Amino acid sequence: DAGVTQSPTHLIKTRGQQVTLRCSPKSGHDTVSWYQQALGQGPQFIFQYYEEEERQRGNFPDRFSGHQFPNYSSELNVNALLLGDSALYLCASSLGTLATNEKLFFGSGTQLSVL
Amino acid sequence: GQNIDQPTEMTATEGAIVQINCTYQTSGFNGLFWYQQHAGEAPTFLSYNVLDGLEEKGRFSSFLSRSKGYSYLLLKELQMKDSASYLCAVRSDSWGKLQFGAGTQVVVTP
């Protein structure tokens, strides 16, 4: 049973470029959340997708956008990259009909470096 | 404001016990989670508390006091492989978004 898979694992971009990160949720999960984790910090919530719609959003600018496909996989797009966007981007999956103890399963992340 | 605080780093010797404290102030509360994260890897789930009290799972236990906005993770019989960052996270609503602390780096020495 595959867990959460993310691609690519590492990415180097320059300021002003655009990037697309991809995530496939754990089998049976229908909800995907994206987090940004700067070095030495805890993950920060970007947004969550359920039924192909953005259901919740954290304090991130509109440069960060996403999409969920009918097979529940998801993409995170970041436009006009800034140096400060350098971080580990984590995808987490769960069930949309959340039981109280439902936990998130995380992928290993995409390490994005902006030069 | 919303805040989750935990110590930056703790050091302990193999076989010992370490307690990682977490205090939180959030706009809502619908459960507290502890995750373990080894360097360069995904966070992995350790424990969940939604009611006051102690939850025990093998060498790991977690405690919650909702009235005090306080939780701790207790790691017993420390092993070298327990060297990792431990993340405290609060779920404020029923939709699953987690708010994380900065993490506590635990260093286990021989």
Side-chain angles (χ1 to χ4, degrees):
Chain A
D1 176 24
V4 181
T5 57
Q6 292 187 243
S7 63
T9 53
H10 295 83
L11 205 50
I12 299 175
K13 292 285 188 179
T14 56
R15 278 180 297 174
Q17 285 189 309
Q18 178 263 345
V19 68
T20 297
L21 311 181
R22 296 177 176 81
C23 171
S24 292
K26 179 178 166 59
S27 177
H29 284 181
D30 58 7
T31 301
V32 172
S33 302
W34 287 92
Y35 288 79
Q36 180 195 66
Q37 186 174 24
L39 193 62
Q41 299 297 315
Q44 297 294 310
F45 177 77
I46 304 174
F47 41 54
Q48 182 186 83
Y49 278 84
Y50 172 69
E51 292 188 343
E52 302 179 51
E53 300 257 340
E54 183 183 287
R55 183 160 73 172
Q56 283 184 302
R57 189 179 182 92
N59 291 329
F60 279 80
D62 292 344
R63 299 186 296 109
F64 289 77
S65 63
H67 189 78
Q68 186 179 36
F69 299 93
N71 67 353
Y72 308 123
S73 66
S74 176
E75 288 181 350
L76 164 66
N77 300 293
V78 186
N79 293 324
L81 283 167
L82 303 173
L83 296 179
D85 296 331
S86 295
L88 179 67
Y89 288 84
L90 293 165
C91 170
S93 74
S94 58
L95 281 173
T97 50
L98 213 56
T100 54
N101 63 343
E102 184 67 29
K103 57 184 178 283
L104 296 181
F105 288 82
F106 283 89
S108 296
T110 294
Q111 184 65 54
L112 173 65
S113 298
V114 182
L115 306 178
Chain B
Q2 304 204 79
N3 221 30
I4 299 177
D5 291 314
Q6 49 182 131
T8 303
E9 183 172 314
M10 304 184 73
T11 301
T13 54
E14 209 172 358
I17 298 173
V18 69
Q19 177 175 315
I20 307 169
N21 296 325
C22 171
T23 57
Y24 64 89
Q25 286 181 300
T26 56
S27 57
F29 182 83
N30 193 21
L32 187 142
F33 296 77
W34 286 95
Y35 279 82
Q36 180 192 60
Q37 186 177 28
H38 286 99
E41 296 184 11
T44 54
F45 171 80
L46 288 178
S47 69
Y48 167 80
N49 296 73
V50 69
L51 299 176
D52 291 352
L54 188 67
E55 293 284 339
E56 296 186 270
K57 191 185 290 187
R59 295 189 297 114
F60 295 171
S61 303
S62 58
F63 171 84
L64 175 67
S65 168
R66 289 171 296 170
S67 63
K68 294 180 180 175
Y70 168 72
S71 173
Y72 68 72
L73 178 70
L74 196 68
L75 286 62
K76 304 175 205 170
E77 302 168 19
L78 278 171
Q79 302 175 9
M80 297 300 290
K81 67 178 182 180
D82 297 329
S83 292
S85 179
Y86 292 83
L87 299 161
C88 172
V90 172
R91 185 171 62 200
S92 306
D93 56 41
S94 60
W95 285 359
K97 161 189 162 184
L98 293 184
Q99 184 176 346
F100 284 85
T104 298
Q105 184 67 42
V106 170
V107 178
V108 181
T109 60

